[in-house]
Amino acid sequence: MKNRILLPLLLLCTARLACGAPLPSAEITSKAFGDTRGVLVVVDCDKGEVFSSNPKLAKEAFGPCSTFKIWNTLIGLEEGIIKGADEPFWKWDGQERSLPGWNKDQTLREAFKASCVPAYQELARKIGRERMQGWINKLDYGNKDLCGRPDGFWLPRAGQKCILISPEEQAQMVCRLLAGKLPFGEASVATLEEIMKSETTDRGTMYGKTGSGLRDADRGAAKGVDFDMGWWVGFLRHGGKHYAFACLVLGPGLSGKDARRIAESVFRSGGML
């Protein structure tokens, strides 16, 4: 009798591992966010199924902050400006900045991990306004507006316009990248994945990039704080499947670290990480 019970349970567990975990539940995400305003969008890239914890907010566009480094990196690799993950990428200009990790020469891996803004601004200048606009158009990235800021259009600043993209668009773009539907070579994508890998467990591997910033003045940027918005954008490999995600949090003092913490909590609770 015991074997008759255990066998179906074993088959069910095996099927779950083979097919991957279901998308997150509203209960799990609600608990992870608590009182924090935000949204988590998760896309099953194989089935095309989408989970959104806040469908209305998922369609609202915001500045991408440093999550644009995902695409800036790929463009730089495709244009031959970046040679590899551990090759010299940025030579420090000698200007002391508030983040010590920025005050030294950087490889691509180091600059991506440190989210080194001046390094990526220099990359954008090397790509140039015309080529960058061409890439943005080909990718159909957000509202496609460089806002007259060719070396900083992805950075939200109070009183300054920036390119805008929604959480839903962020997650779907990652799905298109993984499906080979964007104009990037396999070598470029492999390099990006190498530097994006953030955590591996026996359940899955997570790849992502944080982003933090202040919203435009017309969105009511909080005074006296460094940040009032945070992103965590990337994908998860679990059970032989890909899940793209975009997590956004909004509120005084919130940053990409908070978005990452919430998304990780959801994935762990759901058995995906």
Side-chain angles (χ1 to χ4, degrees), residues 22-208:
L23 293 174
S25 69
E27 181 181 359
I28 288 175
T29 52
S30 177
K31 182 177 180 180
F33 275 96
D35 295 331
T36 300
R37 182 179 179 231
V39 59
L40 174 65
V41 178
V42 183
V43 182
D44 182 330
C45 295
D46 298 311
K47 294 182 178 179
E49 296 176 354
V50 180
F51 167 81
S52 173
S53 66
N54 186 331
K56 183 178 179 181
L57 188 58
K59 296 182 181 299
E60 189 173 345
F62 297 85
C65 310
S66 285
T67 64
F68 185 73
K69 288 184 174 72
I70 295 170
W71 310 102
N72 208 352
T73 296
L74 285 168
I75 294 168
L77 287 163
E78 286 295 303
E79 292 290 348
I81 298 170
I82 306 173
K83 303 303 181 185
D86 297 306
E87 296 296 318
F89 173 59
W90 182 64
K91 186 170 181 58
W92 180 42
D93 57 10
Q95 180 181 341
E96 291 284 344
R97 295 176 173 87
S98 59
L99 297 178
W102 294 4
N103 299 326
K104 62 177 184 177
D105 295 351
Q106 311 264 337
T107 63
L108 175 62
R109 189 190 304 276
E110 292 168 336
F112 193 87
K113 183 178 181 180
S115 202
C116 186
V117 170
Y120 273 88
Q121 286 183 305
E122 182 172 301
L123 173 60
R125 287 191 289 270
K126 288 179 179 178
I127 294 169
R129 182 197 301 264
E130 187 173 333
R131 279 196 296 181
M132 182 66 82
Q133 186 68 69
W135 276 103
I136 293 296
N137 292 344
K138 282 191 290 185
L139 298 175
D140 194 25
Y141 187 91
N143 67 352
K144 301 185 283 292
D145 188 357
L146 301 188
C147 300
R149 302 169 59 202
D151 65 350
F153 59 88
W154 61 92
L155 299 170
R157 294 289 184 267
Q160 296 185 34
K161 290 184 177 181
C162 69
I163 200 167
L164 299 174
I165 189 168
S166 71
E168 188 174 275
E169 289 172 322
Q170 289 257 48
Q172 291 290 0
M173 277 200 67
V174 174
C175 264
R176 297 206 307 274
L177 175 68
L178 297 174
K181 295 181 179 180
L182 295 179
F184 297 113
E186 291 182 4
S188 297
V189 176
T191 297
L192 176 70
E193 289 188 11
E194 185 180 344
I195 64 175
M196 272 185 75
K197 185 183 291 187
S198 60
E199 187 168 358
T200 300
T201 71
D202 57 355
R203 291 176 173 177
T205 301
M206 184 166 59
Y207 304 76

Side-chain angles (χ1 to χ4, degrees), residues 5-28:
I5 296 173
L6 289 177
L7 183 58
L9 287 175
L10 179 61
L11 291 173
L12 179 62
C13 292
T14 302
R16 177 182 171 86
L17 289 173
C19 299
L23 293 174
S25 69
E27 181 181 359
I28 288 175

